Amino acid sequence: MTERATMHRVPALLDALARDGHISDRQAVEAFVLARQGETELPLHIRVLAGIAAVIACACFVGFLWKIGLIDYDEPAGMLLIGPAFIVVAIVLNRIPGVSQATVGSFLLQVSLAMMATGKLLFIIGFNESFSTPWALSLAALIVTAATYHLFPMSIDRFLSSFVLLLSVMVNVVWGEETTLPRELLVTGFFGLQLAVGAVLLTHGRIRREYLPLAYAIAFSLCVIVLLPAAYVATHPMVVNGMLAGGLIALFAWAGGGVDVLKRPPMVLASLGAVLLALISAPALMLSIGAMIIGYAKHDRRLLILGALLMPAFLWTYYYDPEVSLLMKSAILTVTGGALLAGRFYMSYTGKSREA
Amino acid sequence: MSPPAPDIDAATETGRDKPVPYGPVPCAPAFGARGEDRMTIDQVPANRRLVEELYAHGYLTTAARQAALEFLNPRDQWTLWISRLLLVVGSALALSGVVYFFAFNWSQIPPIAKFASIQIGIVAAVGAASVWGLTRTHGQVLVVGASVLVGVFLAVFGQVYQTGADAFELFTAWSVLILGWSVISNFAPQWALWLAVTNVALGLWWRQAALPTEEMAFLIYAYLALLNGMALAVREWGALRGVDWIARRWTRVLLTIATLLALLVPASTLVMADDPTTSMLVAGIMGLIGHVVLYSAYRHLLPDAWAVSATVLSGCLVLDAAAYRILSSALGDNTAATWLSLGLATLVIFATAMVYLRSIAPKLKAAHD
């Protein structure tokens, strides 16, 4: 499972394609590839550093504003004014030209991220305090996320904003007041919508890279729904399992390069396996397998790790799920594990598994 | 399916997507993007996303896309990965199902059945592992399964016979009993399990048997740092000698994080303490020195951008703690000023770290390549 695909660079890929006569105008392809890259994003570990600094600094700034009385629950209008002001300053700082001097540039980057986080937090709190409905939180999160997604091109901010928005919607849908629509329908619909949008964002070639943070936020949000027993029981479990099984089969076709591969015997068996998982299993297992397949196919280590971590997280939370008896859980896990091992046995038996 | 025609309009939705002549590309700033960071074609990783983009914009035909996908993820690599995924996930779920079953029937199961089933499991796993051999994944996974069952057996033993043993004794026995299998397993996950069990045993021993005074309480961090630091040193020694199974990147990541955590807590506590105890002083100084050692090792001896970044991040947190101490002392009761200046100090500390990490990144990459 930890086996990773070999990482290649573009010239090696283009060499291979040119050798087989698949590329005629190599220069045009290279120009397109470079244009799609934009500028180099900072490595993930440096982005994590920036994110942690922004969170600590944001907490300090909120503490400061609290102490000087600018954060006042009785006067939410103040927060509604100061929040957007912080956001505007953050955007301006991020766009200051001539930041080629690394020291100034990195400092401004940190300041703008911290100010953006503070501004969004203030606006959301202020907006929430101004209205008496819990949906105000989601609406405020939607407003700040939509307003800044394209104006503030920091992937960590895009991810966190989108995740907070999805999380707030989930809380409202699962635990909020009753509506005219049945809760089961709302939660299942919310899950299905996220699954569909997430699948398109992660697998479609025309989706621009700036939407990747949104795709990761959706993946995390889906994980939260399948891990939280309270959220999952609020769905229609068989419909959710059906969606995930359908998603897995579509994923097999995508990973194999087209719908035609589903006609091959191993893929037919894999598809039947997915249907079996939908009938007997828990959704977290299918989501975990799906995330790992996309991660492996796209050389995306973040999704691979997310899928791998979802498995033990599920086994931990599943134990405490009060809705299913331990005996039933035991049967589900054993049968699911047995089905997967049978798949492995089939691969060994037919010689498709070349063990290292 | 016919290939779509080159779609220049779609490619020009943003300035960033506009096809331009070969060479540096003017574009909107990405996260942290600065002018000096432009990519060359040699730096761009080839992955599925790129292939899908080329296909979607008409630069690849269906056949070319298929050939590119086959190049990136050859079918035999896919099948090997899937077969391992099925083996690991299937085994984990089946074992979990067994554990859940025991949990369900625990009070109804007679002791003899409890012992027999666990012992049969251990014997079967070890027997099958010896048949398959420890050079194959099957055998290695089975040894991990047997090691987990040894822990289950010890827990059941203590419960059935009411031995009154402390939890640290269970974990110590577990660690000792599976050490031999770990040595012969040549399997990093088996060692990870052993190290986790041993860390817990050490922590529990400190609380349940060593019973340290307040003066000595912080020494546990020194012990944990030594344990994990030694494991990290052994890992690096093995990797340098060409031991493949230990040289997997995740082993360095795991051990570096474990070591840094044991160094960070006493170091940051020391810099914030007004009147440090002896153990706080010892463990704290060790924590500070440990940061320097790790930094030097991964900056100069074994260049690794990720490990250096993790060490620098931990160092930044220690510095932030020191900044809090200095600012709160200097500004006294003026907490508003303390919060504001601490926020600014945090930004300065981390921005400096980012600048430094960005400046050494090419050197680390070159050394790694």
Side-chain angles (χ1 to χ4, degrees), chain A residues 8 64 80 109 120 164 182 199-200 236 238 241 247-248 268 273 283 287 316-317 320 329:
Chain A
H8 297 284
F64 166 70
L80 285 175
L109 201 75
K120 284 182 174 176
V164 167
V200 171
H236 196 300
M238 282 317 288
N241 279 12
L248 268 184
V268 172
L287 194 62
W316 182 264
T317 57
Y320 298 102
K329 289 174 194 165

PDB file of all heavy atoms in Angstrom, chain A residues 8 64 80 109 120 164 182 199-200 236 238 241 247-248 268 273 283 287 316-317 320 329:
ATOM      1  N   HIS A   8       7.889  11.113 -12.425  1.00  0.00           N
ATOM      2  CA  HIS A   8       8.562  11.513 -13.653  1.00  0.00           C
ATOM      3  C   HIS A   8       8.494  13.019 -13.799  1.00  0.00           C
ATOM      4  O   HIS A   8       7.631  13.672 -13.231  1.00  0.00           O
ATOM      5  CB  HIS A   8       7.868  10.883 -14.867  1.00  0.00           C
ATOM      6  CG  HIS A   8       7.930   9.390 -14.872  1.00  0.00           C
ATOM      7  ND1 HIS A   8       9.066   8.692 -15.202  1.00  0.00           N
ATOM      8  CD2 HIS A   8       6.984   8.455 -14.582  1.00  0.00           C
ATOM      9  CE1 HIS A   8       8.827   7.396 -15.124  1.00  0.00           C
ATOM     10  NE2 HIS A   8       7.573   7.222 -14.733  1.00  0.00           N
ATOM     11  N   PHE A  64      -5.869  40.819  21.279  1.00  0.00           N
ATOM     12  CA  PHE A  64      -5.621  42.267  21.374  1.00  0.00           C
ATOM     13  C   PHE A  64      -6.923  43.057  21.156  1.00  0.00           C
ATOM     14  O   PHE A  64      -7.271  43.947  21.950  1.00  0.00           O
ATOM     15  CB  PHE A  64      -4.561  42.658  20.334  1.00  0.00           C
ATOM     16  CG  PHE A  64      -4.456  44.128  20.087  1.00  0.00           C
ATOM     17  CD1 PHE A  64      -3.930  44.981  21.059  1.00  0.00           C
ATOM     18  CD2 PHE A  64      -4.887  44.670  18.878  1.00  0.00           C
ATOM     19  CE1 PHE A  64      -3.835  46.342  20.822  1.00  0.00           C
ATOM     20  CE2 PHE A  64      -4.799  46.038  18.647  1.00  0.00           C
ATOM     21  CZ  PHE A  64      -4.277  46.876  19.624  1.00  0.00           C
ATOM     22  N   LEU A  80     -18.512  43.855  12.131  1.00  0.00           N
ATOM     23  CA  LEU A  80     -18.867  43.805  10.704  1.00  0.00           C
ATOM     24  C   LEU A  80     -18.116  44.873   9.906  1.00  0.00           C
ATOM     25  O   LEU A  80     -17.952  44.735   8.694  1.00  0.00           O
ATOM     26  CB  LEU A  80     -20.377  43.999  10.538  1.00  0.00           C
ATOM     27  CG  LEU A  80     -21.231  42.792  10.917  1.00  0.00           C
ATOM     28  CD1 LEU A  80     -22.710  43.131  10.830  1.00  0.00           C
ATOM     29  CD2 LEU A  80     -20.912  41.604  10.022  1.00  0.00           C
ATOM     30  N   LEU A 109       3.645  38.389   3.372  1.00  0.00           N
ATOM     31  CA  LEU A 109       2.829  37.191   3.142  1.00  0.00           C
ATOM     32  C   LEU A 109       2.204  36.700   4.453  1.00  0.00           C
ATOM     33  O   LEU A 109       1.014  36.410   4.544  1.00  0.00           O
ATOM     34  CB  LEU A 109       3.755  36.112   2.573  1.00  0.00           C
ATOM     35  CG  LEU A 109       3.129  34.978   1.815  1.00  0.00           C
ATOM     36  CD1 LEU A 109       2.693  35.464   0.462  1.00  0.00           C
ATOM     37  CD2 LEU A 109       4.147  33.852   1.673  1.00  0.00           C
ATOM     38  N   LYS A 120     -11.728  37.542   8.637  1.00  0.00           N
ATOM     39  CA  LYS A 120     -12.826  36.594   8.385  1.00  0.00           C
ATOM     40  C   LYS A 120     -13.500  36.171   9.693  1.00  0.00           C
ATOM     41  O   LYS A 120     -14.732  36.071   9.779  1.00  0.00           O
ATOM     42  CB  LYS A 120     -12.286  35.368   7.656  1.00  0.00           C
ATOM     43  CG  LYS A 120     -12.015  35.630   6.171  1.00  0.00           C
ATOM     44  CD  LYS A 120     -11.538  34.398   5.459  1.00  0.00           C
ATOM     45  CE  LYS A 120     -11.431  34.674   3.954  1.00  0.00           C
ATOM     46  NZ  LYS A 120     -10.879  33.546   3.213  1.00  0.00           N
ATOM     47  N   VAL A 164     -14.375  25.509   6.588  1.00  0.00           N
ATOM     48  CA  VAL A 164     -15.242  26.082   7.631  1.00  0.00           C
ATOM     49  C   VAL A 164     -16.669  26.241   7.096  1.00  0.00           C
ATOM     50  O   VAL A 164     -17.652  25.928   7.784  1.00  0.00           O
ATOM     51  CB  VAL A 164     -14.671  27.442   8.110  1.00  0.00           C
ATOM     52  CG1 VAL A 164     -15.690  28.203   8.951  1.00  0.00           C
ATOM     53  CG2 VAL A 164     -13.394  27.222   8.911  1.00  0.00           C
ATOM     54  N   PRO A 182     -37.529  16.649   4.755  1.00  0.00           N
ATOM     55  CA  PRO A 182     -37.024  15.718   5.770  1.00  0.00           C
ATOM     56  C   PRO A 182     -35.505  15.851   5.922  1.00  0.00           C
ATOM     57  O   PRO A 182     -34.795  16.055   4.935  1.00  0.00           O
ATOM     58  CB  PRO A 182     -37.372  14.336   5.201  1.00  0.00           C
ATOM     59  CG  PRO A 182     -38.277  14.560   4.056  1.00  0.00           C
ATOM     60  CD  PRO A 182     -38.151  15.969   3.616  1.00  0.00           C
ATOM     61  N   ALA A 199     -15.680  14.976  -6.894  1.00  0.00           N
ATOM     62  CA  ALA A 199     -15.204  14.064  -7.937  1.00  0.00           C
ATOM     63  C   ALA A 199     -14.821  14.834  -9.194  1.00  0.00           C
ATOM     64  O   ALA A 199     -13.778  14.584  -9.794  1.00  0.00           O
ATOM     65  CB  ALA A 199     -16.289  13.031  -8.244  1.00  0.00           C
ATOM     66  N   VAL A 200     -15.673  15.792  -9.582  1.00  0.00           N
ATOM     67  CA  VAL A 200     -15.373  16.577 -10.787  1.00  0.00           C
ATOM     68  C   VAL A 200     -14.094  17.401 -10.580  1.00  0.00           C
ATOM     69  O   VAL A 200     -13.200  17.426 -11.421  1.00  0.00           O
ATOM     70  CB  VAL A 200     -16.564  17.508 -11.135  1.00  0.00           C
ATOM     71  CG1 VAL A 200     -16.182  18.476 -12.235  1.00  0.00           C
ATOM     72  CG2 VAL A 200     -17.766  16.670 -11.559  1.00  0.00           C
ATOM     73  N   HIS A 236     -29.566   8.843   4.473  1.00  0.00           N
ATOM     74  CA  HIS A 236     -30.190   7.576   4.108  1.00  0.00           C
ATOM     75  C   HIS A 236     -29.030   6.639   3.771  1.00  0.00           C
ATOM     76  O   HIS A 236     -28.449   6.725   2.684  1.00  0.00           O
ATOM     77  CB  HIS A 236     -31.108   7.754   2.904  1.00  0.00           C
ATOM     78  CG  HIS A 236     -32.053   6.609   2.721  1.00  0.00           C
ATOM     79  ND1 HIS A 236     -31.600   5.326   2.519  1.00  0.00           N
ATOM     80  CD2 HIS A 236     -33.407   6.542   2.736  1.00  0.00           C
ATOM     81  CE1 HIS A 236     -32.634   4.527   2.402  1.00  0.00           C
ATOM     82  NE2 HIS A 236     -33.748   5.245   2.539  1.00  0.00           N
ATOM     83  N   MET A 238     -28.339   3.601   2.792  1.00  0.00           N
ATOM     84  CA  MET A 238     -28.214   2.807   1.556  1.00  0.00           C
ATOM     85  C   MET A 238     -27.979   3.702   0.339  1.00  0.00           C
ATOM     86  O   MET A 238     -27.258   3.336  -0.589  1.00  0.00           O
ATOM     87  CB  MET A 238     -29.453   1.933   1.340  1.00  0.00           C
ATOM     88  CG  MET A 238     -29.490   0.676   2.196  1.00  0.00           C
ATOM     89  SD  MET A 238     -27.916  -0.211   2.293  1.00  0.00           S
ATOM     90  CE  MET A 238     -27.802  -0.909   0.657  1.00  0.00           C
ATOM     91  N   ASN A 241     -24.366   4.779   0.533  1.00  0.00           N
ATOM     92  CA  ASN A 241     -23.511   3.656   0.115  1.00  0.00           C
ATOM     93  C   ASN A 241     -23.594   3.441  -1.398  1.00  0.00           C
ATOM     94  O   ASN A 241     -22.597   3.149  -2.053  1.00  0.00           O
ATOM     95  CB  ASN A 241     -23.925   2.375   0.840  1.00  0.00           C
ATOM     96  CG  ASN A 241     -23.341   2.315   2.232  1.00  0.00           C
ATOM     97  OD1 ASN A 241     -22.822   3.308   2.727  1.00  0.00           O
ATOM     98  ND2 ASN A 241     -23.411   1.156   2.860  1.00  0.00           N
ATOM     99  N   GLY A 247     -19.567   5.808  -7.310  1.00  0.00           N
ATOM    100  CA  GLY A 247     -18.353   6.618  -7.429  1.00  0.00           C
ATOM    101  C   GLY A 247     -17.120   5.754  -7.596  1.00  0.00           C
ATOM    102  O   GLY A 247     -16.238   6.072  -8.406  1.00  0.00           O
ATOM    103  N   LEU A 248     -17.068   4.660  -6.840  1.00  0.00           N
ATOM    104  CA  LEU A 248     -15.905   3.762  -6.951  1.00  0.00           C
ATOM    105  C   LEU A 248     -15.821   3.148  -8.349  1.00  0.00           C
ATOM    106  O   LEU A 248     -14.738   3.076  -8.943  1.00  0.00           O
ATOM    107  CB  LEU A 248     -16.008   2.632  -5.917  1.00  0.00           C
ATOM    108  CG  LEU A 248     -15.336   2.860  -4.555  1.00  0.00           C
ATOM    109  CD1 LEU A 248     -15.450   1.624  -3.694  1.00  0.00           C
ATOM    110  CD2 LEU A 248     -13.865   3.248  -4.712  1.00  0.00           C
ATOM    111  N   VAL A 268     -14.835  -6.119 -13.940  1.00  0.00           N
ATOM    112  CA  VAL A 268     -16.202  -6.563 -13.623  1.00  0.00           C
ATOM    113  C   VAL A 268     -16.249  -7.048 -12.179  1.00  0.00           C
ATOM    114  O   VAL A 268     -17.149  -6.695 -11.404  1.00  0.00           O
ATOM    115  CB  VAL A 268     -16.646  -7.689 -14.590  1.00  0.00           C
ATOM    116  CG1 VAL A 268     -17.978  -8.285 -14.141  1.00  0.00           C
ATOM    117  CG2 VAL A 268     -16.763  -7.153 -16.016  1.00  0.00           C
ATOM    118  N   GLY A 273     -17.397  -6.131  -6.495  1.00  0.00           N
ATOM    119  CA  GLY A 273     -16.875  -5.929  -5.136  1.00  0.00           C
ATOM    120  C   GLY A 273     -17.371  -4.618  -4.557  1.00  0.00           C
ATOM    121  O   GLY A 273     -17.745  -4.542  -3.385  1.00  0.00           O
ATOM    122  N   PRO A 283     -19.617   3.405   4.913  1.00  0.00           N
ATOM    123  CA  PRO A 283     -19.192   4.313   3.844  1.00  0.00           C
ATOM    124  C   PRO A 283     -17.746   4.782   3.973  1.00  0.00           C
ATOM    125  O   PRO A 283     -17.095   5.055   2.974  1.00  0.00           O
ATOM    126  CB  PRO A 283     -20.157   5.482   3.964  1.00  0.00           C
ATOM    127  CG  PRO A 283     -20.671   5.422   5.343  1.00  0.00           C
ATOM    128  CD  PRO A 283     -20.685   3.992   5.727  1.00  0.00           C
ATOM    129  N   LEU A 287     -15.002   5.377   1.006  1.00  0.00           N
ATOM    130  CA  LEU A 287     -14.408   6.702   0.802  1.00  0.00           C
ATOM    131  C   LEU A 287     -12.888   6.636   0.940  1.00  0.00           C
ATOM    132  O   LEU A 287     -12.148   7.253   0.163  1.00  0.00           O
ATOM    133  CB  LEU A 287     -14.988   7.687   1.831  1.00  0.00           C
ATOM    134  CG  LEU A 287     -14.754   9.159   1.562  1.00  0.00           C
ATOM    135  CD1 LEU A 287     -15.393   9.591   0.258  1.00  0.00           C
ATOM    136  CD2 LEU A 287     -15.293  10.002   2.698  1.00  0.00           C
ATOM    137  N   TRP A 316     -11.654   3.482  14.816  1.00  0.00           N
ATOM    138  CA  TRP A 316     -11.730   4.021  16.180  1.00  0.00           C
ATOM    139  C   TRP A 316     -13.140   4.539  16.480  1.00  0.00           C
ATOM    140  O   TRP A 316     -13.738   4.186  17.494  1.00  0.00           O
ATOM    141  CB  TRP A 316     -10.700   5.154  16.323  1.00  0.00           C
ATOM    142  CG  TRP A 316     -10.663   5.745  17.686  1.00  0.00           C
ATOM    143  CD1 TRP A 316     -11.304   6.866  18.117  1.00  0.00           C
ATOM    144  CD2 TRP A 316      -9.959   5.227  18.816  1.00  0.00           C
ATOM    145  NE1 TRP A 316     -11.035   7.084  19.443  1.00  0.00           N
ATOM    146  CE2 TRP A 316     -10.220   6.097  19.902  1.00  0.00           C
ATOM    147  CE3 TRP A 316      -9.143   4.120  19.032  1.00  0.00           C
ATOM    148  CZ2 TRP A 316      -9.676   5.894  21.172  1.00  0.00           C
ATOM    149  CZ3 TRP A 316      -8.607   3.930  20.304  1.00  0.00           C
ATOM    150  CH2 TRP A 316      -8.868   4.801  21.347  1.00  0.00           C
ATOM    151  N   THR A 317     -13.676   5.383  15.593  1.00  0.00           N
ATOM    152  CA  THR A 317     -14.988   5.989  15.867  1.00  0.00           C
ATOM    153  C   THR A 317     -16.120   4.965  15.726  1.00  0.00           C
ATOM    154  O   THR A 317     -17.126   5.055  16.411  1.00  0.00           O
ATOM    155  CB  THR A 317     -15.280   7.171  14.917  1.00  0.00           C
ATOM    156  OG1 THR A 317     -15.191   6.707  13.568  1.00  0.00           O
ATOM    157  CG2 THR A 317     -14.310   8.299  15.120  1.00  0.00           C
ATOM    158  N   TYR A 320     -17.326   3.138  18.818  1.00  0.00           N
ATOM    159  CA  TYR A 320     -18.198   3.844  19.754  1.00  0.00           C
ATOM    160  C   TYR A 320     -19.533   4.266  19.132  1.00  0.00           C
ATOM    161  O   TYR A 320     -20.287   5.004  19.751  1.00  0.00           O
ATOM    162  CB  TYR A 320     -17.471   5.083  20.303  1.00  0.00           C
ATOM    163  CG  TYR A 320     -16.235   4.702  21.074  1.00  0.00           C
ATOM    164  CD1 TYR A 320     -14.971   4.817  20.519  1.00  0.00           C
ATOM    165  CD2 TYR A 320     -16.333   4.175  22.362  1.00  0.00           C
ATOM    166  CE1 TYR A 320     -13.844   4.439  21.222  1.00  0.00           C
ATOM    167  CE2 TYR A 320     -15.214   3.794  23.074  1.00  0.00           C
ATOM    168  CZ  TYR A 320     -13.969   3.927  22.496  1.00  0.00           C
ATOM    169  OH  TYR A 320     -12.852   3.537  23.193  1.00  0.00           O
ATOM    170  N   LYS A 329     -21.211  -4.872  13.940  1.00  0.00           N
ATOM    171  CA  LYS A 329     -19.975  -4.222  13.472  1.00  0.00           C
ATOM    172  C   LYS A 329     -18.911  -5.272  13.188  1.00  0.00           C
ATOM    173  O   LYS A 329     -18.191  -5.196  12.182  1.00  0.00           O
ATOM    174  CB  LYS A 329     -19.449  -3.263  14.545  1.00  0.00           C
ATOM    175  CG  LYS A 329     -20.253  -2.024  14.744  1.00  0.00           C
ATOM    176  CD  LYS A 329     -19.681  -1.259  15.933  1.00  0.00           C
ATOM    177  CE  LYS A 329     -20.629  -0.196  16.400  1.00  0.00           C
ATOM    178  NZ  LYS A 329     -20.301   0.330  17.713  1.00  0.00           N
TER     179      LYS A 329
END
